[in-house]
Amino acid sequence: MTETIVRDPKAYKSDLKPIWCPGCGDFGVLAATFRAFSELGLDPDKTVIVSGIGCSGRFPGFVTSYGYHSVHGRALPTAMGVKMANPDLEVIAVGGDGDGFAIGGGHFPHAARRNIDITYVVMNNEIYGLTKGQVSPTSQHDQKSPSSPFGNTESPLNTMATAIAADASFVARGASFRAKELTELILAGINNKGFSFIDAYSPCTSFNNTTQIWKDGVRYLDESHDPSDRAAAFARALDDPMTLGVYYKHERPTMVDQFEALKKAAKPSTADELLDGYALGLTAA
Amino acid sequence: MTETIVRDPKAYKSDLKPIWCPGCGDFGVLAATFRAFSELGLDPDKTVIVSGIGCSGRFPGFVTSYGYHSVHGRALPTAMGVKMANPDLEVIAVGGDGDGFAIGGGHFPHAARRNIDITYVVMNNEIYGLTKGQVSPTSQHDQKSPSSPFGNTESPLNTMATAIAADASFVARGASFRAKELTELILAGINNKGFSFIDAYSPCTSFNNTTQIWKDGVRYLDESHDPSDRAAAFARALDDPMTLGVYYKHERPTMVDQFEALKKAAKPSTADELLDGYALGLTAA
Amino acid sequence: MALPDITLQLAGESGEGVISGGDIFTSGAGRAGYWALTFRTYPAEIKGGPCMFQVRIGANRIKSIGNHTDLLVCFNQEGFDLQHETVGPEGIIIADAESCKVTDEFADRSFEVPFSQIAEEAGGSRRGKNMVVVGTVCGLLDIDTTALEQLILARYAHKGDVGEANIASLRAGGDNARQNLPSVLNVDKPGPAERERILLSGNQAIVAGSLHAGLSYYAGYPITPASDILESLAARLPRHGGVAIQTEDEIAALASVLGAGYTGAKAMTATSGPGLSLMSELIGLAGTAEIPAVIVDSMRAGPSTGMPTKTEQSDLNQAVYGSHGEAPRVVIAPTTVDDCLTCAVEAFNAAETYQVPVILLSDQSLSHRLETVERPDLSEIEVEDRLTLADVASGNGASPNGDGNSAYPRYKLTESGISPMPIPGTPGSYVSTGIEHDEQGHPSYTGEIHQAMQDKRWKKLDALAAGSRVTVTGAEKAQVGILGWGSTEGAAIEAAELLAAEGVTAATFYPRVLCPLPVDRIKKWAEGMDVIVVPEVNYTGQFARMVRSDCEVPVVQLNQISGRPFTAKQIADFITENVKTAAGAAA
Amino acid sequence: MALPDITLQLAGESGEGVISGGDIFTSGAGRAGYWALTFRTYPAEIKGGPCMFQVRIGANRIKSIGNHTDLLVCFNQEGFDLQHETVGPEGIIIADAESCKVTDEFADRSFEVPFSQIAEEAGGSRRGKNMVVVGTVCGLLDIDTTALEQLILARYAHKGDVGEANIASLRAGGDNARQNLPSVLNVDKPGPAERERILLSGNQAIVAGSLHAGLSYYAGYPITPASDILESLAARLPRHGGVAIQTEDEIAALASVLGAGYTGAKAMTATSGPGLSLMSELIGLAGTAEIPAVIVDSMRAGPSTGMPTKTEQSDLNQAVYGSHGEAPRVVIAPTTVDDCLTCAVEAFNAAETYQVPVILLSDQSLSHRLETVERPDLSEIEVEDRLTLADVASGNGASPNGDGNSAYPRYKLTESGISPMPIPGTPGSYVSTGIEHDEQGHPSYTGEIHQAMQDKRWKKLDALAAGSRVTVTGAEKAQVGILGWGSTEGAAIEAAELLAAEGVTAATFYPRVLCPLPVDRIKKWAEGMDVIVVPEVNYTGQFARMVRSDCEVPVVQLNQISGRPFTAKQIADFITENVKTAAGAAA
Ligand SMILES: Cc1ncc(C[n+]2csc(CCOP(=O)(O)OP(=O)(O)O)c2C)c(N)n1
Ligand SMILES: Cc1ncc(C[n+]2csc(CCOP(=O)(O)OP(=O)(O)O)c2C)c(N)n1
Ligand code: SF4
Ligand code: SF4
Ligand SMILES: [Mg+2]
Ligand SMILES: [Mg+2]
């Protein structure tokens, strides 16, 4: 963890007032992000926050940094483009559980497999906030909602297990109301070279108010847990989902590293060099 | 396993000659399917095979049964529609590794979460056959291909681990050249009530000829493996990927069962009953 | 003098009960015999932010949102600031005495009422503010509140004495109005109802229509303003063994709808623009594999995420031309709430009859407006089913697949282009496919087969183009023809009435089926018009361009993208100001 | 008599070396100074199935595939069966003596050659069959094979003595032809080349153009006929720090291209119809958030999966109208292989200058045909870059974000609609978004802002519509005007020449930018034409409809969907047969 504190957390707060409901967990995630940015001394001009659509998708607007508010579900491939086109940028992707695991769920394993060096923070409220309370892939079985009036027939997706199965480089769970620890997780995620995934419990006070249940229920991974042990991490993920902490870590060359290594192998690449290859060499005829 | 053998395997062979290359593994998967159908005595008029696009996607055309050749990546949601609209049908989804885990990968965890009672057979050749040999999500790291001329920069997706993380009801790996065992896996998958996933190694002799490597390398899960232990299944999935057998089983109410249970709770549902609810009751005025 | 109808606006902050007050007033007015039509704006935020509820009521059927506000009730200062410009020259303002000051220009036609204070005194809580507002309005307009009170009691039956308190607030508001406010506003009393009336929204009507048509499979992904279709069906469809599934995205929704349609089920999905875009590829599959499906698109303001809570008619191009290659589809646009029900049934009928995907184009204003309509007689709305192989099978027991293991010729080239469809579970197995194919569904890439199959797929729609429903008002010869689609019809008809009052003859023409367009009938009608105006709530004039290209008829575009529906006056004014002078001028 | 050019077809089974033989012949003919243009059909299967290679060579530039086959070489019976109908009235057939019998009608103009036997004798293996074929053709046409032999040696340098054996087969084929076949066919000898010539495909030209324009980020998902763009760039882009990524689908591809474009990179993706459909939603985002991007669509026959290896021009509607709402974009269609290079650069220029997504519409026939062109002088093809905030920043050190933490007004309403774009990594932070927004990118849902922003986004393209490139042949006044787009241009120009020979004056007009259409120039040109014909390889006449609606000019459609490009004769015949008599008749 770096100690270079060059900016006040408030320096990252934008002029735009968050539109979130009173008590929404996203406020806590935003605050933890400010603190993590501050501790890392991130330069707002060199930082990009990418999001999809949802209440949580409005996040970039509230941060002083570059931002990219994409369409629903496309935060991860967008972030890949940003990072791979300009590896000097610090890239954070954020979004909701629906954005990330329903419509955008197809992108997740590939971001992990590629090991794109970005940090992905999901504000998991186990509900669709912005569209007024339908169940999401992380909603509980039997949960009632406008779209599941007699109880959810689907079982929740285990995001920790999913990320470990995809071999994400850093896999952790935090909570919006555990400010200090969430700050540390975001910080560790950013510092991790590779694809870092943080599932942050972030209650939706309007449509799925789990604030109390989660506040009462969360506990931390015990000291003995070895995050380098993938099978053990998976086993822990199957335990009590309300367990917070770093489940899994697997550092390895990032996507940027790997493309860097291709430079020498690649073929001549100017347009002229290419056309040379198609020349008819008429002098020989 | 049912013993009702009412049809010859050949009865399921359609008039259309497979267009696959000589030695293509898909022939073996097709043959195993015929045998499994035959052992189950499936009625071709009550069986639907759904596929996406790829060499493997042409599969339904070679079977005498109903078939549905969808667009690339959409076999699973299509199969859900078929099954949920008509639960009496036996529904099998088939396709390639690219179809199922690249473009269609976003549907997989949800098919598993919902526990749609279908069997999904992926003909995994670790390559894009139909488009002539580009890497797929299951291709090996460093593998050379037209789209990865200096070696694949991405790490392969572990399909067994992915399916176990998604809590698929039945998770197994087979191989096209292990005819008897593959037949049994398909049979067990169909017999399993719930979402059954079978990853069948199926070499592409034209663009990624792994025939010999796989023939030499495959082995079977040992007897001691307990498929009801999810964490253990995951640990096995991280071991040698060339291990065949049933990794994981988790029987529970299927999607059809769950909707059946909603019947009583649901509100009056004829158009007239609905309009009654909007009536102004003018007599009261 | 009593007006034939009046337009009321309630404006305030989200959370003050503006919308619920408006809803309950509308229901109450409906029960008291008035016809109503509403329009509302939501804030972008989930909680807080300005919101507005507008309702126009009258003694006769209401066709549009009203040209200006006759009575604006401001819950707070922002309500006044944002909405006072809509108030007509004779319009009245009632402002919350505690929080709102009107500007000088309204000094002589505005009144202050201490809403919260009255609520507290009468019902014991300042939260009854919106009920005081409703009571005030009823008092001012002399609307009987008996029905309204019953409604309130019923609605709060399980909430202790909230109902009683609300009624007390309502009455106190009415008493205050009758005592302290001059009776400046009067609306004609409605006569007795000839047929039963109902009050519902466009989306509710679509749900009712789909159930009437025989819907049994629904899949959709939440999106404003279509989510309530999913929600309503989730509560109902399972009753008779149907299913309503919230999928992981719109692609899965339509893929599964096509899977269900393939098995013989009547299946539907509903979405808005972004979802329709994602469905592009599968719409082409449905057209090619000839699978019936209904896709509801409740349009909102685009492009991209755009303005999700605002109305617009800007997805027509995507509906008609979206998807690569050239795949047939039907596009139907309802014009009113009851028409939503009829069009939903017609959408299923077209899907079934022609074995095509049908896109039903509603919009935010139509999907979410409450409108009083005569209760449709469902027995009069015919339901059609597809031609199945079982329908045509001779019953001689011979296998439809012929001998051996050959596939049934599901894509048989017939005169009409329509081929009998085997239903899985019954004899006649074949492979449904989006690859170009011969009659048996076998992949085939010859130019001859491609031509024959495109001919087959497209010619199916000829009958529909010739016979689709159209509504026309006005004479066969007129100075101005208003040619439009969807929810603008009411405003267009009223605009024609306004023009008539100014001595301009005007006619309207609204086809329901926009693809295939009833080209011949449009051309014929156009011959009688001196000039044709096409009003659309979009930027580029999508329908106008289609008319120009398909009918080769010159038209004048009238476009606005304010996020609100047209008023009749907007259309009439445009015509008097721009069109009479130069037929080629556009706004 | 020597012909100015001849059309050769090789027809046989996939796996017999038909395509590779054709390729090598084309390269050899090219090196011998002939101009060439090829067309090929692939089987649906990966291995096996009929395939055909067609090449037209001549002493001057070749513009289209040729009206009929002058020389058909049949590798087997199926080759004859499938292709003999294309043979012209004077055309010659050479059939494999072992496996192919021609029908009587060709008795007096066909010859048998025992290809495999000659190969075995000369090169020691029957697999040299295709080289014997190439040698036979060269012998018959008296084409010098020196360059060809060098080419073969180079190509098989690492394969032991395969090269030598192939050359032996080639020579044996030639010797046999000279000895045993009558010299019935002659083609004009080419003169010396004035400028260096190259032989490449449309897709290769697009790759070259994109590199010239400064491409540094490519992402794509494999799909026929666009995959080779990904493959070529994967081998090259990393050289200077660029990346080419195979994504999990087309949505991810375009999403990442927009992410890259947002950071200032020139970024591209390439796909075919199904992928373009999937990109619909994100194309709207690019238009709304104003992010430059280039999307290559190499069209294949649709709808749906359709006929993936066949050509068609049927994605124009999707390119121009795809995506919900109304989002601006540019659509550019190259007409020849060298034009692919130029248009690729123009696509990047338009994307950068106007901050919009640009769709480059190629098609299977153009993407995969080999064509001899003069080597473009890249220094003459100007490259444009976007207006960045750094370009306009005053350099006084003041923060572009103003005081405090407010966002830079990235969507500033300017005269031209183009606003300077801050590049992440430099000052000027803001949020790029597809939600309707004010100048600072903050979400805003008022009608005024929506109108202002739509005006801004759309008016950017006015300058492009006025100044885009167009190629015209023929006089300003003509009996027939051929108005088209894309790869039909060569056939159209040749059709005009054929018509001229029959005394009909004809002109051609091919705009490169189809959206926004150069309406004024089309109208002006149209005034000089008695009748206008629009040839398109599609079913509904998509471009014809656009011309009718946007230019209000009547046109006659000429459509075919055979999976093959037009021949000049097809167009000319249609015009002589249908158009002169009745201007309104269409095919
Ligand atoms: C393609 C598309 N489909 C649907 C929507 C509607 N939509 C907006 S946000 C959202 C889901 C919100 O849930 P989540 O991602 O969990 O975010 P939250 O609001 O809970 O933070 C949906 C369905 C959309 N904007 N685009
Ligand atoms: C939307 C879309 N994108 C791309 C393609 C092209 N395509 C067809 S099959 C295929 C992948 C084939 O690989 P796989 O799924 O592994 O099947 P296989 O051929 O190996 O059996 C691709 C990319 C397509 N048909 N549709
Ligand atoms: S609806 Fe829920 S998630 Fe959205 S802002 Fe409100 S509390 Fe937060
Ligand atoms: S290309 Fe590969 S996967 Fe396709 S048919 Fe041939 S061997 Fe099988
Ligand atoms: Mg959520
Ligand atoms: Mg594969």
Side-chain angles (χ1 to χ4, degrees), chain D residues 180-245:
Chain D
N180 302 324
L181 301 182
S183 81
V184 280
L185 215 56
N186 270 298
V187 57
D188 285 343
K189 294 268 170 269
E194 276 158 36
R195 274 178 63 181
E196 188 187 356
R197 293 187 206 141
I198 57 177
L199 178 72
L200 76 174
S201 73
N203 277 355
Q204 289 161 341
I206 288 171
V207 167
S210 69
L211 291 173
H212 178 61
L215 179 76
S216 69
Y217 185 95
Y218 180 90
Y221 188 70
I223 190 165
T224 306
S227 305
D228 48 348
I229 295 178
L230 162 66
E231 292 163 9
S232 176
L233 287 168
R236 292 168 207 282
L237 269 187
R239 180 70 157 234
H240 299 300
V243 295
I245 299 166

Side-chain angles (χ1 to χ4, degrees), chain A residues 25 103 151 160 182 188 191 216 250:
Chain A
I103 193 166
M160 293 292 102
L182 183 59
N191 276 332
D216 295 346
H250 177 195

Side-chain angles (χ1 to χ4, degrees), chain D residues 92-113:
Chain D
I92 306 288
I93 296 182
I94 301 179
D96 181 37
E98 293 177 25
S99 65
C100 179
K101 282 270 156 292
V102 305
T103 48
D104 285 351
E105 68 179 297
F106 295 101
D108 55 348
R109 46 194 173 112
S110 66
F111 310 96
E112 293 191 345
V113 175

Side-chain angles (χ1 to χ4, degrees), chain B residues 56 96-98 123-129 136:
Chain B
S56 44
D97 39 320
M123 283 158 262
N124 186 357
N125 51 18
E126 300 187 350
I127 209 78
Y128 284 10
S136 96

Side-chain angles (χ1 to χ4, degrees), chain A residues 97 125 127-129:
Chain A
D97 40 322
N125 51 18
I127 209 77
Y128 284 12

